[in-house]
Amino acid sequence: MLDIKKIRKDPEFFKQKLATRGVKAEEIDEVIELDQKRRDLLQKTEALKAQRNEASKKIGEAKRNGESADEAIKETRELGDQIKELDEQVEANDEVFHDKMSRLPNIPHDGVPVSLTEEGSVELRKVGKIRDFDFKPKHHWDVGENLGILDFDRARKVSGARFVYYLGLGAQLERAVYNFMLDEHMKDGYTEVLPPYIVNAASMYGTGQFPKFKKGVYQVNGEDMTLIPTAEVPLTNYYRGDVIPAEELPVYVTALTPCFRSEAGAAGRDTRGLIRMHQFNKVEMVKYTKPEDSWDELEKMTANAENILKKIGLPYHVITLTTSDMSFTASETHDLELWMPAQNKYREVSSCSNCLDFQARRMHTQYRDENGKLQYVHTLNGSGLAVGRTVAAILENYQNEDGSVTIPEVLVPYMHGVTKITKENAVPFRNK
């Protein structure tokens, strides 16, 4: 949620900044008009309440003097009816105002590349050596299905498209990857959390998924409950409505959760493999910081995500997303994209974003500064990482010509010493 006081003070700044995110100037004009209407209505209400107070005094005086108070009583009733009518107008106006305000995205940070499409992201760095294969690398779904560790067909029978069964060493690899991620984040100072996987609408509103992105989630029919699209929602809402003690900031938390997304609008995109699923595991990082620290914390968070890829040995690059490509709540976003040799391109595995006070305003999450004044915290979130996509990159980058997959050295202890997935050891019940 943006600050209406700032919009009121400098509407042209907001029009220019939000135009880079596809927001029309008329949308800013509408919220300013609604804000002005609210203040006008409240001014009228206060004036009527003052008149009613005067009329009430007349009633008391008349009764003390033994005079008729009928006219004053009539006046107070009429004024009360007018006040009630104005209160109803304020309530109706507020409903429209808050809806329109809640649909305005965050202000992009200076230096974020301006574009109304995905094109135009700026590459910050490339890390790792891209492997030179002496055979044609297979797609991860072919590698996984040939080994028997990924079963999309049976998942389609049981649940539908964009679901998968991990089997045997495939399931162990997924578990190894997310346990390694959690351990590394805890070394970096994050507290591990096991949060709820179902949240209420107030939580979805707090982190910015509602009301604008309801079509992208799974909701429980007849209930105010939603399956989480990311652990960002329960982690960031942990302090909703709270004043965090200043001495506790910054707060770092991390969690592994399943994530559920309907992928509305993704028809025909990534229909095969682990890239775009309805259900997938993700390790999330969330930070609450003081405003003056949040930009440094964004770089630290990005480095925390990069640390995972460096240690696993997967080539990647880091890009800064354009104004229209970053998330609704972000002021700046760094994406980490893994190299996928079979596709011959990079694919996103993490987005690290600074949301400034945008989410904190929606959630009313604050702290007291050195003067004892309440201030909104800044919130940051980042994937650390999308687990299935990391597994997909391992299958592609560590595949061998005979169809086996070498386990990255750092994951071998998490695989109980297994150094290679082969057809012979992949799924024990099939190799009896």
Side-chain angles (χ1 to χ4, degrees):
M1 182 75 73
L2 299 174
D3 187 344
I4 186 59
K5 293 179 182 177
K6 292 181 179 179
I7 296 177
R8 194 188 298 153
K9 186 177 180 180
D10 193 355
E12 291 307 313
F13 168 82
F14 284 86
K15 287 178 183 180
Q16 291 171 12
K17 280 289 190 179
L18 292 181
T20 68
R21 306 203 67 176
V23 176
K24 297 177 180 178
E26 299 83 64
E27 295 179 63
I28 306 299
D29 289 333
E30 286 176 359
V31 298
I32 291 174
E33 289 171 9
L34 288 164
D35 173 57
Q36 185 61 52
K37 183 179 178 181
R38 181 180 194 274
R39 289 190 292 154
D40 291 343
L41 288 169
L42 289 176
Q43 190 174 15
K44 291 178 182 178
T45 301
E46 290 305 311
L48 290 175
K49 286 180 178 177
Q51 291 180 42
R52 186 173 60 180
N53 289 338
E54 288 300 317
S56 297
K57 289 179 183 178
K58 291 178 182 178
I59 294 173
E61 291 174 1
K63 288 183 176 180
R64 282 194 298 272
N65 296 329
E67 299 171 352
S68 173
D70 291 348
E71 285 299 318
I73 292 172
K74 180 182 178 182
E75 184 181 2
T76 57
R77 287 174 179 169
E78 290 175 348
L79 288 168
D81 291 340
Q82 292 176 49
I83 291 169
K84 181 181 178 182
E85 183 180 342
L86 286 174
D87 286 341
E88 290 172 353
Q89 291 180 39
V90 169
E91 185 178 349
N93 185 81
D94 281 354
E95 186 174 341
V96 178
F97 170 76
H98 286 298
D99 181 68
K100 291 189 178 296
M101 280 290 289
S102 68
R103 294 174 186 273
L104 293 177
N106 204 351
I107 293 292
H109 188 229
D110 292 341
V112 172
V114 175
S115 175
L116 293 179
T117 69
E118 295 179 5
E119 302 299 321
S121 296
V122 174
E123 185 178 72
L124 300 178
R125 53 189 170 272
K126 284 182 179 176
V127 180
K129 184 179 179 182
I130 292 176
R131 178 181 170 187
D132 185 17
F133 286 84
D134 55 8
F135 62 93
K136 184 178 180 180
K138 293 183 174 65
H139 289 283
H140 68 274
W141 56 83
D142 289 327
V143 174
E145 288 179 324
N146 290 339
L147 287 169
I149 59 175
L150 298 179
D151 195 331
F152 295 97
D153 290 337
R154 284 185 172 85
R156 188 177 296 108
K157 175 184 67 177
V158 171
S159 300
R162 301 186 190 274
F163 290 93
V164 66
Y165 277 101
Y166 287 83
L167 300 171
L169 290 182
Q172 290 182 49
L173 179 59
E174 175 98 354
R175 176 158 53 92
V177 167
Y178 62 65
N179 281 334
F180 170 71
M181 291 175 179
L182 289 170
D183 286 349
E184 289 299 306
H185 292 324
M186 284 188 285
K187 290 177 186 176
D188 287 329
Y190 291 81
T191 298
E192 184 179 359
V193 177
L194 185 60
Y197 301 159
I198 303 178
V199 296
N200 55 33
S203 296
M204 294 292 283
Y205 175 84
T207 41
Q209 283 78 17
F210 283 4
K212 195 168 184 177
F213 303 103
K214 278 190 176 182
K215 290 184 179 179
V217 299
Y218 288 109
Q219 292 187 271
V220 180
N221 287 337
E223 295 187 37
D224 172 25
M225 303 297 284
T226 300
L227 297 176
I228 60 170
T230 166
E232 172 197 346
V233 181
L235 289 180
T236 310
N237 275 277
Y238 181 80
Y239 283 117
R240 189 175 82 231
D242 290 348
V243 176
I244 305 174
E247 61 272 16
E248 292 183 8
L249 295 172
V251 174
Y252 293 11
V253 288
T254 186
L256 163 76
T257 67
C259 303
F260 305 91
R261 299 183 186 178
S262 69
E263 292 296 345
R269 297 178 62 190
D270 299 308
T271 54
R272 299 197 66 183
L274 300 172
I275 300 298
R276 198 175 298 276
M277 308 291 286
H278 288 313
Q279 174 191 320
F280 58 94
N281 289 321
K282 181 157 68 78
V283 173
E284 188 75 3
M285 302 175 289
V286 162
K287 294 183 178 184
Y288 312 82
T289 77
K290 294 178 181 178
E292 61 268 25
D293 298 330
S294 65
W295 290 113
D296 286 340
E297 293 294 350
L298 174 61
E299 299 310 314
K300 291 179 184 177
M301 177 178 280
T302 305
N304 298 151
E306 289 186 70
N307 172 59
I308 304 297
L309 299 179
K310 288 177 181 177
K311 290 191 173 181
I312 293 177
L314 292 169
Y316 67 94
H317 72 168
V318 182
I319 61 175
T320 299
L321 296 185
T322 66
T323 50
S324 62
D325 197 26
M326 62 186 178
S327 73
F328 174 80
T329 58
S331 180
E332 181 170 314
T333 298
H334 298 323
D335 262 15
L336 278 61
E337 295 186 333
L338 284 166
W339 179 252
M340 304 294 284
Q343 297 183 42
N344 196 38
K345 64 180 180 180
Y346 291 100
R347 300 302 303 264
E348 179 210 334
V349 72
S350 174
S351 289
C352 296
S353 301
N354 186 355
C355 299
L356 304 179
D357 62 358
F358 189 85
Q359 292 177 322
R361 286 181 176 277
R362 298 169 80 102
M363 298 183 301
H364 300 288
T365 303
Q366 300 171 299
Y367 76 102
R368 291 191 184 277
D369 63 19
E370 61 275 9
N371 298 315
K373 186 178 179 182
L374 284 172
Q375 304 285 356
Y376 288 106
V377 298
H378 281 193
T379 60
L380 300 91
N381 63 79
S383 310
L385 309 161
V387 182
R389 293 188 178 197
T390 306
V391 169
I394 290 171
L395 295 180
E396 290 200 14
N397 285 278
Y398 281 90
Q399 64 180 295
N400 302 305
E401 190 171 10
D402 64 0
S404 65
V405 174
T406 301
I407 302 298
E409 185 177 350
V410 74
L411 297 179
V412 171
Y414 293 86
M415 294 289 291
H416 305 290
V418 174
T419 59
K420 185 181 289 188
I421 302 176
T422 67
K423 282 191 175 181
E424 289 70 35
N425 69 359
V427 185
F429 70 74
R430 287 180 176 162
N431 299 314
K432 289 182 178 179

